[in-house]
Amino acid sequence: MKKRSDVFFEWFLCIFIFIVGFNITHKMLISLAAPFILAIIFIGSYIIEIKADKKADKLANMSITEQSEALLTYKLQHDFAKLKGDSLISDQKRRLRSPIVFVFLFSSIALLLIVLAFIRKISLFATICGIFLAILSFVFSLRGLLTIPLKKYIILHKNDFDDVNNDYLNGNMIVYGEHGINIGSKYITMFNSAKINSVRINDITNAYCIQRRVKHKTNGLYVGEKLYHYIAVNTASGEHYEVNLNEYQAQIALEEIERTGALDIKSERIANVLETDTSNNIFTP
């Protein structure tokens, strides 16, 4: 049996002789080569997707022993996150006013100044786009600076805020970027830069981990994928909350919810969800 390299060399030699022998022009060459190039791109994309599927299946079928060992290693290397304040309000204010908020604020001001400085030299379309982006960045930064999600949260929990706050201060905090969960003895608080929610543990009917695999495709071509891990809870009133964590944090959060004694949940209950999308599904309540 011939080696792949020999076969490729023979094909290349035949094509080279064909091109030289028949004095093919550049346009004809491009016309002949285009279908082959497109075929290689599609086949390559398909092969990469198949390999990604096999890797995902291998991870999904990882033995409980392997999962436990990896989780134990992570626990030994990582502790619960520390609060950034002496109350729920001060902690969340500092999290909402993250450095990225100030980056957007200064970027919006800089972009607006640049547009105004070159307003006579750039087109009307570029001016409108620049002003629109500057306003968009400013609104985003303003949301964090004014801690709007926190103000909405305080209004929503005005009747039980003291209980939630005390439980929050004594809870175990798990943080993943701008996402996080605080698990106390009475309440679970989930948050990110857009929303904060607290749920009474006694109202929770189910809690589980979700592994959401999002495939990214462009014109039918597989261009990559990303795995998202969530801890999710359902309440007796039919509400669903979930927050994005990493793989091990989601498992630890589920164990912490089990530790409260309010639920009888197996930590290996993971819902695998496959999505084909071009968007980033980050957080839903």
Side-chain angles (χ1 to χ4, degrees), residues 36 38 52 80 86 111 120 127 172 178 279:
F36 291 101
L38 289 173
F80 290 109
D86 56 1
L111 182 59
R120 294 182 179 180
T127 303
N172 289 326
E178 62 181 14
S279 61

Side-chain angles (χ1 to χ4, degrees), residues 5 15 17-18 25 57 66-67 73 112 123 127-128 144 174-176 188 208 216 221 241 263 267 276-277:
S5 58
I15 293 169
I17 293 170
F18 180 75
T25 62
D57 290 339
E66 290 176 312
Q67 291 179 15
T73 303
L112 187 61
S123 64
T127 303
I128 293 171
I174 300 173
V175 177
Y176 180 61
I188 291 175
Y208 50 95
H216 299 287
L221 286 174
Y241 301 92
L263 297 163
S267 59
T276 301
D277 203 283

Side-chain angles (χ1 to χ4, degrees), residues 90-103:
S90 60
D91 179 69
Q92 286 298 322
K93 275 185 177 180
R94 292 187 180 182
R95 295 185 188 281
L96 288 169
R97 291 170 180 169
S98 60
I100 192 68
V101 171
F102 294 97
V103 170

Side-chain angles (χ1 to χ4, degrees), residues 25-244:
T25 62
H26 289 91
K27 289 184 179 179
M28 289 178 66
L29 179 61
I30 292 170
S31 299
L32 288 169
F36 291 101
I37 294 171
L38 289 173
I40 291 169
I41 292 171
F42 274 97
I43 292 169
S45 174
Y46 181 69
I47 292 170
I48 294 171
E49 185 176 3
I50 289 174
K51 287 183 177 180
D53 289 339
K54 288 181 179 179
K55 184 179 179 181
D57 290 339
K58 185 179 179 181
L59 289 173
N61 296 321
M62 187 183 292
S63 67
I64 295 174
T65 303
E66 290 176 312
Q67 291 179 15
S68 300
E69 288 177 355
L71 183 61
L72 180 60
T73 303
Y74 184 88
K75 285 180 178 178
L76 292 172
Q77 295 175 351
H78 300 83
D79 201 357
F80 290 109
K82 295 180 180 180
L83 296 179
K84 293 185 176 182
D86 56 1
S87 68
L88 185 153
I89 293 175
S90 60
D91 179 69
Q92 286 298 322
K93 275 185 177 180
R94 292 187 180 182
R95 295 185 188 281
L96 288 169
R97 291 170 180 169
S98 60
I100 192 68
V101 171
F102 294 97
V103 170
F104 272 94
L105 177 62
F106 292 122
S107 297
S108 65
I109 296 171
L111 182 59
L112 187 61
L113 291 174
I114 291 170
V115 170
L116 293 174
F118 295 95
I119 196 166
R120 294 182 179 180
K121 297 181 180 180
I122 58 178
S123 64
L124 179 62
F125 178 75
T127 303
I128 293 171
C129 289
I131 293 173
F132 175 75
L133 288 173
I135 293 171
L136 198 66
S137 298
F138 181 74
V139 170
F140 179 84
S141 62
L142 200 64
R143 182 182 176 86
L145 290 172
L146 298 177
T147 62
I148 292 173
L150 179 60
K151 291 178 179 178
K152 289 181 178 179
Y153 171 83
I154 294 171
I155 293 170
L156 185 65
H157 289 275
K158 60 182 179 181
N159 295 326
D160 60 350
F161 181 77
D162 290 338
D163 291 338
V164 175
N165 182 60
N166 292 332
D167 204 54
Y168 186 92
L169 293 175
N170 296 310
N172 289 326
M173 179 82 78
I174 300 173
V175 177
Y176 180 61
E178 62 181 14
H179 314 272
I181 182 171
N182 182 290
I183 304 165
S185 58
K186 296 179 181 179
Y187 293 89
I188 291 175
T189 301
M190 296 179 175
F191 59 87
N192 73 353
S193 61
K195 202 165 186 179
I196 307 169
N197 285 292
S198 287
V199 185
R200 285 180 60 89
I201 290 176
N202 290 336
D203 293 337
I204 296 173
T205 57
N206 196 14
Y208 50 95
C209 296
I210 299 174
Q211 179 176 282
R212 185 171 287 131
R213 180 184 171 211
V214 181
K215 284 186 177 182
H216 299 287
K217 290 189 175 183
T218 302
N219 297 323
L221 286 174
Y222 174 84
V223 294
E225 65 178 57
K226 190 168 182 179
L227 276 176
Y228 297 99
H229 299 274
Y230 301 81
I231 178 68
V233 297
N234 297 323
T235 66
S237 59
E239 294 175 323
H240 173 83
Y241 301 92
E242 61 184 48
V243 66
N244 183 206

